[in-house]
Amino acid sequence: MGSVPRTLELFYDVLSPYSWLAFEVLCRYKNIWNVSLQLQPTLIGGIMRDSGNQPPAMLPRKAVYMRSDVRLLSQHLQVPIHFPKDFFSVILKKGSLTAMRFLTAVKMEHPEMLEKVSRELWMRVWSRDEDITEPPSILAAAEKAGMSIEQAQELLKRVSTPQVKNQLKETTEAACKYGAFGLPITVAHLHDETHMLFGSDRMELLAYLLESHGQRSLVGYGPHGCKELDTTEATQQQQQSLFSHVRRHITRDAVATTCRHF
Amino acid sequence: MGSVPRTLELFYDVLSPYSWLAFEVLCRYKNIWNVSLQLQPTLIGGIMRDSGNQPPAMLPRKAVYMRSDVRLLSQHLQVPIHFPKDFFSVILKKGSLTAMRFLTAVKMEHPEMLEKVSRELWMRVWSRAAEKAGMSIEQAQELLKRVSTPQVKNQLKETTEAACKYGAFGLPITVAHLHDETHMLFGSDRMELLAYLLGEKWMGPVPPAVNPRL
């Protein structure tokens, strides 16, 4: 392929199920697309405070919707998400400060382990309904990811140091500067533009942006992998724009009066 | 194929750009998938009130995000949406009551025109185009008269209540009636998931077999 990989930054918090979905899809595509995936452990609580937003679950109908949305996406995207029994306690009371500081330390000291340790923390809180706030919980996740007990304990000690606390703060501020009002956000650094995309459901748009900014088309229709698509064929197929349809089939007439209200 | 088409209900409001995106994608796929698309003119203001939610644009960072999100999706989905500069200050304040009552009346009297007239209203609010749908002057004036009748007002109310019963906290919502289950999907970004639930093929937002039968 020959061209410079584009950087994708994924800002995420293990407290966020949609972050897990985005994480898994990007981990699959990082080996397929010409990109460099940078994982950025972030504190979703900090994003909420800074943006004036609140967790969607605070609105009753959104809380109900999230359950079925996450369940269906879990099936479709093949990520084993199961809602914890006491969801509100997990999300709103217990939080993720220690876990995200730990991941920050992992990134600083053993970045090659970040993906696996992140996944094991998600598996605890969002698959097996297990704690992620107590030290033994965090150590268990690190060990499951393949860290030695000594490494894990070293990193746990670093969690309360100013360096680690500041790094997590800075990453969270960086996400806020990109305009985040929630997580996950994917920041795509294309050769000439930067785009912040919110949610786990902008991956097809991301593929389109990567394709239309220089990369040979690897647009995948699906969250499991991809197939190569000939860009010329795609262009021809997409020639018929909506706009030309409208021009062909409507006539000048007087529905205008109704629209004056706008 | 031989099997009974599955019903998809699209609850939408012309005030909502994401409703337009969902509308166009479903209008493309209704001729490809084995489905029957039922358009449901709904009042987004009523959904907000009933659910206790507020328009995303009320949060500054969401308002900023929406502009670029809608712009990119407009390109990708090939729907000519242009965010009017005064959208938040003018159009959002004015609301969509008359437009949605009008579409309700169209659905009651001339359902075959509903798709075109909906699109025309979106074009008016969200696009720089100036064409009008092919509806006669007499028809338009008759319909305008009916906008403030109890029947039309009630129908819009009922449709909005139906969306609320499905759990809506915003628009668009697509309600998929499968043989054994019903699913409510929020937003214009659950179409690939919808294909998965229907057991149908997803070919991106601009599928090859786009039928120009508008």
Side-chain angles (χ1 to χ4, degrees), chain A residues 198-214:
Chain A
F198 168 69
S200 60
D201 44 24
R202 287 290 179 274
M203 299 308 168
E204 191 172 33
L205 179 65
L206 175 60
Y208 164 82
L209 291 172
L210 290 168
E211 175 197 353
S212 53
H213 284 258

PDB file of all heavy atoms in Angstrom, chain A residues 198-214:
ATOM      1  N   PHE A 198     -18.558  10.422  17.544  1.00  0.00           N
ATOM      2  CA  PHE A 198     -19.059   9.942  18.835  1.00  0.00           C
ATOM      3  C   PHE A 198     -19.809   8.627  18.675  1.00  0.00           C
ATOM      4  O   PHE A 198     -20.589   8.469  17.741  1.00  0.00           O
ATOM      5  CB  PHE A 198     -19.973  11.006  19.455  1.00  0.00           C
ATOM      6  CG  PHE A 198     -20.767  10.520  20.623  1.00  0.00           C
ATOM      7  CD1 PHE A 198     -20.144  10.214  21.826  1.00  0.00           C
ATOM      8  CD2 PHE A 198     -22.137  10.363  20.535  1.00  0.00           C
ATOM      9  CE1 PHE A 198     -20.875   9.754  22.915  1.00  0.00           C
ATOM     10  CE2 PHE A 198     -22.879   9.905  21.614  1.00  0.00           C
ATOM     11  CZ  PHE A 198     -22.252   9.600  22.809  1.00  0.00           C
ATOM     12  N   GLY A 199     -19.595   7.711  19.607  1.00  0.00           N
ATOM     13  CA  GLY A 199     -20.394   6.496  19.645  1.00  0.00           C
ATOM     14  C   GLY A 199     -19.723   5.318  18.965  1.00  0.00           C
ATOM     15  O   GLY A 199     -18.659   5.430  18.345  1.00  0.00           O
ATOM     16  N   SER A 200     -20.376   4.163  19.099  1.00  0.00           N
ATOM     17  CA  SER A 200     -19.858   2.951  18.477  1.00  0.00           C
ATOM     18  C   SER A 200     -20.478   2.748  17.097  1.00  0.00           C
ATOM     19  O   SER A 200     -20.208   1.756  16.426  1.00  0.00           O
ATOM     20  CB  SER A 200     -20.191   1.735  19.347  1.00  0.00           C
ATOM     21  OG  SER A 200     -21.603   1.626  19.492  1.00  0.00           O
ATOM     22  N   ASP A 201     -21.337   3.716  16.689  1.00  0.00           N
ATOM     23  CA  ASP A 201     -22.116   3.528  15.473  1.00  0.00           C
ATOM     24  C   ASP A 201     -21.728   4.480  14.340  1.00  0.00           C
ATOM     25  O   ASP A 201     -22.565   4.827  13.513  1.00  0.00           O
ATOM     26  CB  ASP A 201     -23.611   3.649  15.779  1.00  0.00           C
ATOM     27  CG  ASP A 201     -23.936   4.818  16.693  1.00  0.00           C
ATOM     28  OD1 ASP A 201     -23.134   5.780  16.733  1.00  0.00           O
ATOM     29  OD2 ASP A 201     -24.975   4.779  17.375  1.00  0.00           O
ATOM     30  N   ARG A 202     -20.478   4.888  14.328  1.00  0.00           N
ATOM     31  CA  ARG A 202     -19.983   5.747  13.246  1.00  0.00           C
ATOM     32  C   ARG A 202     -18.842   5.054  12.506  1.00  0.00           C
ATOM     33  O   ARG A 202     -18.034   5.715  11.837  1.00  0.00           O
ATOM     34  CB  ARG A 202     -19.517   7.110  13.783  1.00  0.00           C
ATOM     35  CG  ARG A 202     -20.670   8.042  14.216  1.00  0.00           C
ATOM     36  CD  ARG A 202     -21.469   8.535  13.026  1.00  0.00           C
ATOM     37  NE  ARG A 202     -22.586   9.393  13.411  1.00  0.00           N
ATOM     38  CZ  ARG A 202     -23.794   8.929  13.756  1.00  0.00           C
ATOM     39  NH1 ARG A 202     -24.017   7.630  13.777  1.00  0.00           N
ATOM     40  NH2 ARG A 202     -24.755   9.766  14.098  1.00  0.00           N
ATOM     41  N   MET A 203     -18.768   3.737  12.591  1.00  0.00           N
ATOM     42  CA  MET A 203     -17.640   3.012  12.005  1.00  0.00           C
ATOM     43  C   MET A 203     -17.737   2.945  10.485  1.00  0.00           C
ATOM     44  O   MET A 203     -16.727   3.013   9.785  1.00  0.00           O
ATOM     45  CB  MET A 203     -17.493   1.618  12.621  1.00  0.00           C
ATOM     46  CG  MET A 203     -17.233   1.661  14.126  1.00  0.00           C
ATOM     47  SD  MET A 203     -15.829   2.756  14.533  1.00  0.00           S
ATOM     48  CE  MET A 203     -16.008   2.896  16.324  1.00  0.00           C
ATOM     49  N   GLU A 204     -18.981   2.837   9.987  1.00  0.00           N
ATOM     50  CA  GLU A 204     -19.126   2.821   8.538  1.00  0.00           C
ATOM     51  C   GLU A 204     -18.796   4.204   7.967  1.00  0.00           C
ATOM     52  O   GLU A 204     -18.163   4.325   6.918  1.00  0.00           O
ATOM     53  CB  GLU A 204     -20.541   2.391   8.145  1.00  0.00           C
ATOM     54  CG  GLU A 204     -20.658   2.113   6.659  1.00  0.00           C
ATOM     55  CD  GLU A 204     -21.999   1.507   6.270  1.00  0.00           C
ATOM     56  OE1 GLU A 204     -23.015   1.846   6.909  1.00  0.00           O
ATOM     57  OE2 GLU A 204     -22.004   0.701   5.334  1.00  0.00           O
ATOM     58  N   LEU A 205     -19.208   5.248   8.682  1.00  0.00           N
ATOM     59  CA  LEU A 205     -18.843   6.612   8.274  1.00  0.00           C
ATOM     60  C   LEU A 205     -17.329   6.783   8.326  1.00  0.00           C
ATOM     61  O   LEU A 205     -16.728   7.397   7.441  1.00  0.00           O
ATOM     62  CB  LEU A 205     -19.527   7.635   9.181  1.00  0.00           C
ATOM     63  CG  LEU A 205     -19.210   9.104   8.876  1.00  0.00           C
ATOM     64  CD1 LEU A 205     -19.743   9.525   7.506  1.00  0.00           C
ATOM     65  CD2 LEU A 205     -19.776  10.027   9.954  1.00  0.00           C
ATOM     66  N   LEU A 206     -16.693   6.209   9.353  1.00  0.00           N
ATOM     67  CA  LEU A 206     -15.241   6.287   9.474  1.00  0.00           C
ATOM     68  C   LEU A 206     -14.575   5.630   8.261  1.00  0.00           C
ATOM     69  O   LEU A 206     -13.632   6.173   7.681  1.00  0.00           O
ATOM     70  CB  LEU A 206     -14.779   5.610  10.771  1.00  0.00           C
ATOM     71  CG  LEU A 206     -13.275   5.495  11.006  1.00  0.00           C
ATOM     72  CD1 LEU A 206     -12.600   6.857  11.033  1.00  0.00           C
ATOM     73  CD2 LEU A 206     -12.995   4.743  12.310  1.00  0.00           C
ATOM     74  N   ALA A 207     -15.094   4.467   7.883  1.00  0.00           N
ATOM     75  CA  ALA A 207     -14.549   3.779   6.701  1.00  0.00           C
ATOM     76  C   ALA A 207     -14.662   4.671   5.464  1.00  0.00           C
ATOM     77  O   ALA A 207     -13.737   4.790   4.665  1.00  0.00           O
ATOM     78  CB  ALA A 207     -15.291   2.458   6.475  1.00  0.00           C
ATOM     79  N   TYR A 208     -15.804   5.324   5.343  1.00  0.00           N
ATOM     80  CA  TYR A 208     -16.043   6.235   4.212  1.00  0.00           C
ATOM     81  C   TYR A 208     -15.041   7.395   4.230  1.00  0.00           C
ATOM     82  O   TYR A 208     -14.486   7.764   3.196  1.00  0.00           O
ATOM     83  CB  TYR A 208     -17.479   6.758   4.302  1.00  0.00           C
ATOM     84  CG  TYR A 208     -17.787   7.979   3.450  1.00  0.00           C
ATOM     85  CD1 TYR A 208     -18.081   7.858   2.092  1.00  0.00           C
ATOM     86  CD2 TYR A 208     -17.806   9.255   4.018  1.00  0.00           C
ATOM     87  CE1 TYR A 208     -18.380   8.984   1.327  1.00  0.00           C
ATOM     88  CE2 TYR A 208     -18.104  10.374   3.255  1.00  0.00           C
ATOM     89  CZ  TYR A 208     -18.398  10.235   1.909  1.00  0.00           C
ATOM     90  OH  TYR A 208     -18.686  11.343   1.144  1.00  0.00           O
ATOM     91  N   LEU A 209     -14.772   7.944   5.420  1.00  0.00           N
ATOM     92  CA  LEU A 209     -13.825   9.056   5.519  1.00  0.00           C
ATOM     93  C   LEU A 209     -12.408   8.600   5.170  1.00  0.00           C
ATOM     94  O   LEU A 209     -11.668   9.300   4.480  1.00  0.00           O
ATOM     95  CB  LEU A 209     -13.848   9.654   6.927  1.00  0.00           C
ATOM     96  CG  LEU A 209     -15.119  10.405   7.307  1.00  0.00           C
ATOM     97  CD1 LEU A 209     -15.112  10.772   8.789  1.00  0.00           C
ATOM     98  CD2 LEU A 209     -15.284  11.664   6.458  1.00  0.00           C
ATOM     99  N   LEU A 210     -12.044   7.422   5.656  1.00  0.00           N
ATOM    100  CA  LEU A 210     -10.711   6.898   5.354  1.00  0.00           C
ATOM    101  C   LEU A 210     -10.565   6.636   3.854  1.00  0.00           C
ATOM    102  O   LEU A 210      -9.535   6.890   3.255  1.00  0.00           O
ATOM    103  CB  LEU A 210     -10.451   5.603   6.139  1.00  0.00           C
ATOM    104  CG  LEU A 210     -10.274   5.750   7.648  1.00  0.00           C
ATOM    105  CD1 LEU A 210     -10.318   4.403   8.333  1.00  0.00           C
ATOM    106  CD2 LEU A 210      -8.964   6.460   7.970  1.00  0.00           C
ATOM    107  N   GLU A 211     -11.651   6.135   3.258  1.00  0.00           N
ATOM    108  CA  GLU A 211     -11.626   5.820   1.840  1.00  0.00           C
ATOM    109  C   GLU A 211     -11.530   7.077   0.993  1.00  0.00           C
ATOM    110  O   GLU A 211     -10.760   7.146   0.046  1.00  0.00           O
ATOM    111  CB  GLU A 211     -12.888   5.048   1.466  1.00  0.00           C
ATOM    112  CG  GLU A 211     -13.005   4.775  -0.017  1.00  0.00           C
ATOM    113  CD  GLU A 211     -14.424   4.389  -0.437  1.00  0.00           C
ATOM    114  OE1 GLU A 211     -15.277   4.204   0.454  1.00  0.00           O
ATOM    115  OE2 GLU A 211     -14.657   4.275  -1.640  1.00  0.00           O
ATOM    116  N   SER A 212     -12.338   8.078   1.351  1.00  0.00           N
ATOM    117  CA  SER A 212     -12.395   9.272   0.511  1.00  0.00           C
ATOM    118  C   SER A 212     -11.217  10.201   0.766  1.00  0.00           C
ATOM    119  O   SER A 212     -11.088  11.230   0.132  1.00  0.00           O
ATOM    120  CB  SER A 212     -13.710  10.022   0.710  1.00  0.00           C
ATOM    121  OG  SER A 212     -13.926  10.287   2.074  1.00  0.00           O
ATOM    122  N   HIS A 213     -10.344   9.816   1.725  1.00  0.00           N
ATOM    123  CA  HIS A 213      -9.159  10.639   1.957  1.00  0.00           C
ATOM    124  C   HIS A 213      -7.907   9.856   1.676  1.00  0.00           C
ATOM    125  O   HIS A 213      -6.983   9.810   2.462  1.00  0.00           O
ATOM    126  CB  HIS A 213      -9.143  11.178   3.390  1.00  0.00           C
ATOM    127  CG  HIS A 213     -10.098  12.305   3.585  1.00  0.00           C
ATOM    128  ND1 HIS A 213      -9.703  13.616   3.625  1.00  0.00           N
ATOM    129  CD2 HIS A 213     -11.442  12.306   3.718  1.00  0.00           C
ATOM    130  CE1 HIS A 213     -10.764  14.382   3.793  1.00  0.00           C
ATOM    131  NE2 HIS A 213     -11.841  13.621   3.848  1.00  0.00           N
ATOM    132  N   GLY A 214      -7.905   9.180   0.559  1.00  0.00           N
ATOM    133  CA  GLY A 214      -6.644   8.672   0.044  1.00  0.00           C
ATOM    134  C   GLY A 214      -6.456   7.182   0.069  1.00  0.00           C
ATOM    135  O   GLY A 214      -5.761   6.641  -0.764  1.00  0.00           O
TER     136      GLY A 214
END
